[in-house]
Amino acid sequence: MVYNCFIKCQVCGKITRVRLQVGWLSEHPIVVTCGECKTSLSGKVIIGQEAPGLDFSFENAEVVNDENADYMVECSGEFPVMKQRMAEDPLTNPISPFIRAMNRMDSDDAYEEFCKSVGSLKNTKEKWSQYKRILDLSKDLNNEYLVKEIRKIFDESLMPCKNELEVLRAVHMIEIHGFIEPLRKDVLDNIGFSEGILKLDMTQTKELIDFLDRNSGYGLRELQLLSYKVMDEFLRVFPALIPAFSMQYCKNGNVDFESEGSTTSNFDTVKQFYLDVYEALGNLLIIPVALNNIKYRNDYDNLNPLDSRNTTLSDFIGLTKAARYKYCLDSEMYSDKLNIIVNSKLRNAIGHNDVEYDTASQRITYIPNPKDRTRSEEEYLLEFENEALRLFQGLLIVAEYLYRLRELQIIRGMDVNEVTEYMNRISRMPGISSTRKKIYPNDPCPCGSGKKYKKCCGYKM
C-alpha cells in the first residue's frame, strides 16, 4: 500500500509530497530535506499494524492538506527508494519500492528471510537492556549476579552455568541469537568452521593467547568488550540501515545508486558508526591474521610476507588501521570469511574532514589523497551504508573466533572430569553445540592433535 503525505517546510513554505510505501515495520525514521532551502524535514512515521492508521511527525515541517506539491520523494522503511525530484517530474519507475524489491530478490524465500532477520534484530533491540547487563557483567565469569541475569533469559536445564565454560557459552548465546543468526547465518550453517580453531596447533594457539594478554588492549576479554561496544552502537543505528541491508537479499547490480537512495538515513546518521566499526575491526583483525599465521605458516607470529619490514604480530600492532586491512586477505581462510568491503581512503578523508555530502543526490564526494586535492572520488549513501554493514558483519565473525579462543583458554584450566561432563551435557542439548559427540577421557581429542583427550585439551595446564 502506498500513502501520500504532504508536508510544508516551515522555513521557505515549499510543499513536499512524501510517497510512503507502508510496510510491516511498526515505525521507522524519515530523513528528507526541503528541495528548495535544504532545511532538514526529518521525522518518523508510526504505522498501526493491529489497527490501521499512520501518525507522522516532522521537524521543521507540518502536515498539510494542500496537494499542490513542489517536490516529491518516495519513502520506505524497508527498501531503497527513488530520490527526491520536482513534483512535476514523472517517476522513471512508477511502481512502488516493495514491487521493485520483489523483482530483485535473489531467491523465492529471500524476502521472508529478510523480514525474519530484521524482526530478529528488532527483538534484540527490545531486549538489549537485559542482554547488555549480561555482557557487562561477563567481565567476570564467576560473578554471582551474572548467573542470576542469565537465569532470567535461559532455562537452567539449557544453561546450567555450573562452571566458567558453561557461563561463557550462555553469554555467547546472546551474540548467536541477537546478532549472528540474523546477520551471519552462514556461521551457523557451518559451525565446524569456527570449531576448527580448536584443531589448530595447540602450542601455537596457547602462545597466541599469551601474546595477546601481554599487549594492552589486545587481550581476549578486552577485544570481546570492544566488540560488545560496537554491537551496542549498531542497534542504535540499525533502523536507519534497513533499506541498505535489504540489498543483501537482492541480485547483485540491480540497484541504480544514481537514481535510488534511502529515506531512513543520511551521511551524518551513519558516519560515526562507520568510523567506530572501522576502527574496532582494525584492532580485532589481529585475531584472524594470527589464526591465518598458524594455519598457513605454522607460527602465530609469522605474518604473510606482504612487506619485508613487517614480519611479526608486534609489527602488525604498530601499523595504521589502513595498513592492517591490507592483511585481510581473500586467499587466507580466517580473513576471507569476514567478507568485508573496505574503503580506507574514504575513512581517512572523513577523518581529515575532506568530505562533502549532497542531500538531494545522496552523493558523497571525498579527497582520497590529501596531498593531491585536485582529484576527488564519489560514492553514494547506499554504497557507504552497505560497507558499514559488511564491516559490522565481519566483526561478528571475529567475535565468534574470540569465543572459540576463550573456550580453549578456559578448557585448559579445568579438571578433565569437569570438561568431560560439560562436553557430554551440551551434546544432549538442542542448539548451537548439539552437534558435538559424547567424549571420554581416553577418546581422541576433538582438536585433531591425535592425542587422547585427557592428555590434550582435557589436561589441566
Side-chain angles (χ1 to χ4, degrees):
M1 174 180 135
V2 174
Y3 180 88
N4 288 298
C5 174
F6 295 83
I7 57 174
K8 183 177 182 179
C9 176
Q10 294 175 344
V11 176
C12 68
K14 296 296 183 179
I15 295 176
T16 300
R17 172 190 169 198
V18 179
R19 186 173 182 260
L20 173 70
Q21 167 71 66
V22 181
W24 61 271
L25 295 171
S26 58
E27 65 176 87
H28 61 79
I30 298 177
V31 181
V32 296
T33 57
C34 176
E36 181 73 16
C37 66
K38 309 305 179 186
T39 298
S40 171
L41 309 180
S42 299
K44 69 176 182 179
V45 59
I46 298 176
I47 302 170
Q49 298 295 333
E50 296 181 1
L54 298 171
D55 184 14
F56 292 91
S57 61
F58 293 92
E59 297 176 358
N60 305 315
E62 56 184 319
V63 178
V64 295
N65 293 323
D66 190 346
E67 298 186 3
N68 295 314
D70 302 287
Y71 299 92
M72 191 277 285
V73 61
E74 275 192 332
C75 179
S76 171
E78 302 169 86
F79 305 112
V81 296
M82 304 303 291
K83 294 176 183 175
Q84 187 182 68
R85 64 197 62 228
M86 301 296 293
E88 64 268 19
D89 292 344
L91 283 173
T92 56
N93 193 339
I95 62 176
S96 70
F98 173 79
I99 298 299
R100 281 199 300 273
M102 292 302 98
N103 291 335
R104 293 170 174 158
M105 290 290 161
D106 62 5
S107 66
D108 292 339
D109 59 354
Y111 177 64
E112 181 181 350
E113 290 297 319
F114 165 66
C115 292
K116 187 185 301 182
S117 293
V118 173
S120 180
L121 289 166
K122 283 184 61 184
N123 184 62
T124 302
K125 186 176 177 65
E126 291 168 1
K127 295 181 177 179
W128 184 239
S129 61
Q130 192 174 16
Y131 287 167
K132 191 172 183 297
R133 286 200 300 271
I134 291 175
L135 298 182
D136 290 342
L137 289 168
S138 69
K139 295 176 185 177
D140 176 10
L141 293 176
N142 290 312
N143 190 322
E144 62 176 303
Y145 298 107
L146 172 59
V147 175
K148 289 179 180 178
E149 290 299 319
I150 290 171
R151 290 277 182 273
K152 296 177 183 178
I153 298 177
F154 299 115
D155 186 271
E156 186 174 355
S157 63
L158 293 176
M159 300 292 169
C161 295
K162 292 183 177 181
N163 54 47
E164 285 190 39
L165 202 56
E166 291 185 349
V167 173
L168 178 67
R169 177 174 175 264
V171 173
H172 184 55
M173 283 300 107
I174 292 176
E175 297 176 51
I176 291 291
H177 296 304
F179 297 96
I180 293 178
E181 188 172 26
L183 289 169
R184 286 304 303 261
K185 190 174 181 294
D186 54 309
V187 174
L188 307 185
D189 292 339
N190 182 19
I191 196 62
F193 172 79
S194 67
E195 287 187 335
I197 291 173
L198 302 179
K199 297 181 180 180
L200 295 174
D201 184 277
M202 287 296 162
T203 300
Q204 288 296 317
T205 52
K206 182 179 184 301
E207 290 182 3
L208 168 61
I209 292 169
D210 292 342
F211 170 85
L212 294 171
D213 286 342
R214 290 195 305 269
N215 286 271
S216 179
Y218 292 91
L220 297 184
R221 276 302 294 136
E222 293 173 288
L223 293 176
Q224 201 161 46
L225 290 173
L226 177 61
S227 70
Y228 293 162
K229 181 179 179 181
V230 181
M231 291 175 192
D232 182 40
E233 188 173 357
F234 169 77
L235 288 176
R236 290 196 294 270
V237 75
F238 179 69
L241 295 174
I242 293 175
F245 181 52
S246 74
M247 295 191 303
Q248 296 188 8
Y249 295 83
C250 297
K251 299 172 185 174
N252 290 333
N254 276 20
V255 176
D256 181 359
F257 296 116
E258 186 174 354
S259 62
E260 295 179 73
S262 171
T263 48
T264 58
S265 63
N266 60 25
F267 180 63
D268 286 335
T269 308
V270 184
K271 179 175 67 175
Q272 192 58 53
F273 171 70
Y274 174 89
L275 291 174
D276 291 344
V277 70
Y278 179 99
E279 294 297 309
L281 186 54
N283 282 346
L284 289 161
L285 279 180
I286 196 170
I287 298 296
V289 166
L291 294 176
N292 284 334
N293 291 343
I294 297 172
K295 179 174 178 61
Y296 296 100
R297 289 168 287 282
N298 301 312
D299 184 349
Y300 82 91
D301 203 30
N302 186 6
L303 285 180
N304 188 300
L306 298 180
D307 184 339
S308 59
R309 296 169 298 179
N310 302 300
T311 60
T312 69
L313 276 191
S314 294
D315 295 332
F316 181 84
I317 289 175
L319 295 174
T320 64
K321 298 297 193 305
R324 291 181 189 181
Y325 275 103
K326 293 179 181 178
Y327 286 84
C328 191
L329 303 170
D330 293 344
S331 59
E332 297 192 339
M333 182 174 70
Y334 289 105
S335 49
D336 176 54
K337 189 70 172 180
L338 305 188
N339 194 27
I340 60 176
I341 301 175
V342 184
N343 186 343
S344 295
K345 293 180 180 179
L346 175 54
R347 184 265 169 265
N348 291 336
I350 295 172
H352 290 99
N353 202 27
D354 284 337
V355 178
E356 293 183 359
Y357 178 67
D358 181 74
T359 56
S361 66
Q362 299 190 352
R363 184 185 296 113
I364 302 164
T365 305
Y366 62 97
I367 305 296
N369 181 2
K371 295 181 181 179
D372 181 9
R373 307 190 67 80
T374 63
R375 188 171 67 89
S376 64
E377 295 185 10
E378 297 177 346
E379 185 171 293
Y380 287 103
L381 178 63
L382 282 175
E383 296 175 287
F384 178 66
E385 292 179 338
N386 184 49
E387 289 171 16
L389 279 165
R390 293 278 288 274
L391 287 171
F392 181 71
Q393 289 168 306
L395 179 146
L396 294 177
I397 300 299
V398 182
E400 179 70 13
Y401 297 164
L402 280 168
Y403 167 68
R404 294 301 176 187
L405 289 175
R406 290 204 71 208
E407 188 178 36
L408 180 60
Q409 186 180 41
I410 293 171
I411 284 174
R412 284 175 166 163
M414 292 173 65
D415 179 84
V416 60
N417 293 324
E418 192 176 20
V419 176
T420 302
E421 180 187 355
Y422 165 76
M423 298 291 281
N424 291 337
R425 183 161 53 250
I426 66 172
S427 72
R428 298 189 294 270
M429 294 177 182
I432 193 68
S433 299
S434 60
T435 58
R436 299 193 184 188
K437 297 178 181 179
K438 188 173 183 178
I439 182 171
Y440 295 95
N442 289 319
D443 285 344
C445 188
C447 76
S449 66
K451 300 178 182 179
K452 292 182 179 180
Y453 175 64
K454 67 182 181 181
K455 296 290 187 179
C456 191
C457 292
Y459 180 72
K460 186 173 181 180
M461 301 294 287

